[in-house]
Amino acid sequence: MNNNVGWQFDNSYAQLPEFLYAPLNPVAVRAPHVAILNDALADSLGLALNSLSEQDAALLFAGNILPDGAKPLAQAYAGHQFGNFTILGDGRAILLGEHLTPTGERFDIQLKGSGQTPFSRQGDGRAALAPMLREYIISEAMHALNIPTTRSLAVVTTGESVRRETPLPGAILTRIAASHIRVGTFEYLVRTGNIDGIKLLADHVIQRHYPDLSTTDNPYLALLNRVIDRQASLVAKWLLVGFVHGVMNTDNMTISGETIDYGPCAFIDTYDLNTVFSSIDHQGRYRYGKQPDAAQWNLARFAETLLPLIHPSQEKAIVLAEQAIHAFPNIFQNYWLMGMRKKLGLFTEEAEDQQLIDTLLDWMQQHQVDYTNGFRELASTSIPNDDKYADAAFIEWHTHWQARLSRQPESLELSLRLMLANNPAIIPRNHRVEEALTAASEQGDYSPMHQLLAAVTDPYTEQTHFNEYRTPPPPSAHIYQTFCGT
């Protein structure tokens, strides 16, 4: 069965020393059943899932049957969680191995919710259905929005309950990632005093993700700078679409620059820099507008782990690392400004663009304008036909913006096309996600989820039959809190 599917495992992480992981098989479940399969992703991975029966697919993605060539393991790592250091590890996940696609790309294949591991810390190692479906929806929406992300290949129900506040249906998610190596993986080695292990892991990361850095004068400083650049670009993309990660701990920051862990994440409706969704983020540490600051703080922790490799002199290493970290705000700002110019149809650069953007965003926050719809509605040859746009402050801003557009050589038509390509019509709005999850997990009805997926995985196309997904929630349906996946 597994050979016919097309697995091609080449497990480089499993060849590293076992202080980085614990070899371990998933814990079999009683009655697995396929909830959803991502056929398009499977095709891109070179996997012929249509060759499997539904029962075999359920057994495979539950971990009851292992693919040929897999070397399952639970990864060790640590993390600063809301600023506090903790030893962690894969407490409910098993990395089956690394699959090579027909084009030679390498992806981790991980089962999430696959049972207890040595890192479970009193947890049951399992996951509930709704949070796994939530990760499936949001990660696929993020991919469609052209944001680097882990992806979801399958969700299976287990036929077993997990107990949280109440018994909930259990499930296992199959997650696909460039790798699951995190800032917290490096922190784990520092805390255990394994300096040789840090070099070994850094060399592995360079070989796997950034092989061009191996010939630079200082590969480890170059690695730090590359990860800083990747994260600055990533977080800028989050803000540009109104995404709030919600739990930006160092164990949730990948070295590859992908978005990972879709627990208390959400998209803003009305524009507000202080938006917080996570039920446990009482101080707003990871609120929408503070995400760049959180990323820089996490990257400083990464830099600290690399100090012995950056330079033999600790004093010199600190100077070099600080220079790299202090460059983050400007790198982020450049990515964000470049993206904002595209959202406003600007091909050229002018010094006043920042003020033009800030004035619009201030107006949006003051008038509680829907962030996604507001930018999409600007892609018109005239002022949008809505009462809020009759405001004198907006009309003045619009006049300045039109004058700015006229000063570039590209036509207005090209500017509007640029805007439509960079301002999504549809995002996975929180109330719609919750409706789909409730229907699936409580009534066994997956049709709202499939409908939502069809809408959010083609976000830049005008599709009138999906107009209901563009409508902001009524005040009674606003989701003000989201919860970590369990």
Side-chain angles (χ1 to χ4, degrees):
M1 177 191 71
N2 296 324
N3 289 332
N4 292 336
V5 171
W7 295 112
Q8 295 291 333
F9 281 99
D10 179 60
N11 305 308
S12 63
Y13 201 84
Q15 296 170 22
L16 298 175
E18 288 190 13
F19 53 69
L20 283 164
Y21 59 86
L24 191 71
N25 286 342
V27 179
V29 298
R30 182 171 61 238
H33 180 77
V34 173
I36 188 168
L37 292 178
N38 192 334
D39 292 319
L41 175 56
D43 289 344
S44 72
L45 294 171
L47 300 177
L49 295 189
N50 55 7
S51 68
L52 294 176
S53 68
E54 185 171 336
Q55 180 181 9
D56 284 344
L59 292 170
L60 176 65
F61 292 116
N64 286 23
I65 294 177
L66 295 178
D68 286 349
K71 290 190 176 181
L73 57 87
Q75 291 178 303
Y77 53 85
H80 277 88
Q81 300 192 314
F82 293 88
N84 300 306
F85 184 83
T86 307
I87 294 291
L88 300 163
D90 286 333
R92 56 173 179 163
I94 293 292
L95 176 65
L96 293 181
E98 301 156 28
H99 168 69
L100 297 180
T101 72
T103 59
E105 293 181 281
R106 181 184 297 268
F107 291 100
D108 278 3
I109 311 295
Q110 186 198 69
L111 301 182
K112 184 176 179 180
S114 53
Q116 287 183 321
T117 78
F119 311 111
S120 292
R121 299 187 303 162
Q122 310 303 315
D124 60 11
R126 293 303 187 186
L129 176 59
M132 298 303 96
L133 294 178
R134 181 182 184 85
E135 177 158 343
Y136 189 107
I137 293 169
I138 304 298
S139 64
E140 289 307 295
M142 293 285 275
H143 175 72
L145 289 165
N146 301 315
I147 298 173
T149 180
T150 61
R151 297 189 64 188
S152 301
L153 181 59
V155 176
V156 298
T157 54
T158 62
E160 302 171 359
S161 294
V162 295
R163 177 163 289 280
R164 300 301 181 249
E165 293 183 356
T166 59
L168 299 170
I172 297 172
L173 170 82
T174 302
R175 182 159 67 188
I176 310 301
S179 81
H180 287 83
I181 302 170
R182 316 148 190 264
V183 170
T185 315
F186 283 84
E187 289 187 293
Y188 175 80
L189 295 173
V190 170
R191 184 52 64 99
T192 56
N194 194 337
I195 304 303
D196 291 339
I198 296 170
K199 183 179 186 305
L200 185 146
L201 181 61
D203 288 341
H204 174 79
V205 167
I206 290 171
Q207 181 180 5
R208 179 168 179 175
H209 292 297
Y210 310 114
D212 60 301
L213 303 183
S214 62
T215 57
T216 60
D217 293 338
N218 190 333
Y220 307 109
L221 180 60
L223 173 62
L224 174 59
N225 283 315
R226 183 66 61 84
V227 175
I228 288 171
D229 185 81
R230 287 286 182 94
Q231 288 294 334
S233 173
L234 177 66
V235 177
K237 286 181 169 69
W238 291 355
L239 267 66
L240 289 167
V241 297
F243 177 74
V244 185
H245 185 281
V247 59
M248 289 181 65
N249 299 328
T250 57
D251 55 294
N252 291 331
M253 176 174 276
T254 64
I255 303 302
S256 65
E258 289 184 314
T259 313
I260 190 172
D261 198 323
Y262 290 96
C265 66
F267 287 77
I268 61 174
D269 292 308
T270 56
Y271 180 76
D272 186 346
L273 287 171
N274 292 315
T275 302
V276 178
F277 290 106
S278 173
S279 62
I280 60 175
D281 191 1
H282 305 297
Q283 305 301 319
R285 179 184 178 90
Y286 300 139
R287 61 188 180 270
Y288 171 64
K290 279 291 184 180
Q291 292 179 114
D293 294 343
Q296 185 179 18
W297 193 91
N298 289 349
L299 289 163
R301 308 290 76 75
F302 178 52
E304 289 166 356
T305 71
L306 296 179
L307 290 177
L309 308 181
I310 289 175
H311 198 277
S313 164
Q314 185 180 48
E315 183 178 353
K316 180 62 175 176
I318 290 173
V319 170
L320 293 172
E322 286 182 341
Q323 288 174 347
I325 294 298
H326 290 161
F328 176 87
N330 284 337
I331 298 171
F332 165 81
Q333 184 67 16
N334 287 338
Y335 278 121
W336 180 84
L337 187 55
M338 179 172 59
M340 272 294 173
R341 285 192 174 106
K342 292 177 180 178
K343 290 174 76 70
L344 290 176
L346 303 179
F347 291 90
T348 59
E349 299 179 10
E350 290 188 6
E352 293 76 18
D353 289 346
Q354 181 73 58
Q355 182 178 352
L356 183 74
I357 295 164
D358 289 344
T359 301
L360 174 64
L361 294 177
D362 289 345
W363 177 83
M364 291 179 74
Q365 179 151 348
Q366 181 181 353
H367 292 268
Q368 296 187 306
V369 174
D370 184 87
Y371 181 75
T372 301
N373 289 346
F375 271 100
R376 188 77 177 188
E377 289 165 355
L378 288 178
S380 171
T381 56
S382 60
I383 293 179
N385 185 24
D386 189 286
D387 289 346
K388 62 178 175 288
Y389 296 114
D391 178 72
F394 176 80
I395 293 173
E396 181 181 0
W397 176 87
H398 192 272
T399 301
H400 287 299
W401 175 49
Q402 292 297 304
R404 170 68 179 86
L405 289 172
S406 70
R407 292 196 295 272
Q408 56 186 11
E410 290 79 10
S411 67
L412 179 59
E413 180 183 358
L414 287 177
S415 289
L416 296 181
R417 288 182 187 177
L418 183 64
M419 294 178 69
L420 292 174
N422 288 276
N423 291 302
I426 296 174
I427 55 168
R429 292 184 182 271
N430 309 322
H431 65 299
R432 291 295 186 184
V433 173
E434 292 300 323
E435 289 172 0
L437 298 184
T438 298
S441 63
E442 296 183 12
Q443 286 93 46
D445 180 5
Y446 286 82
S447 56
M449 177 174 171
H450 288 293
Q451 180 86 348
L452 177 60
L453 278 168
V456 301
T457 52
D458 191 12
Y460 295 102
T461 302
E462 287 288 337
Q463 302 178 86
T464 55
H465 57 290
F466 286 141
N467 276 352
E468 62 185 292
Y469 294 102
R470 300 176 64 170
T471 305
S476 60
H478 268 289
I479 306 296
Y480 295 107
Q481 281 196 335
T482 51
F483 300 87
C484 287
T486 57

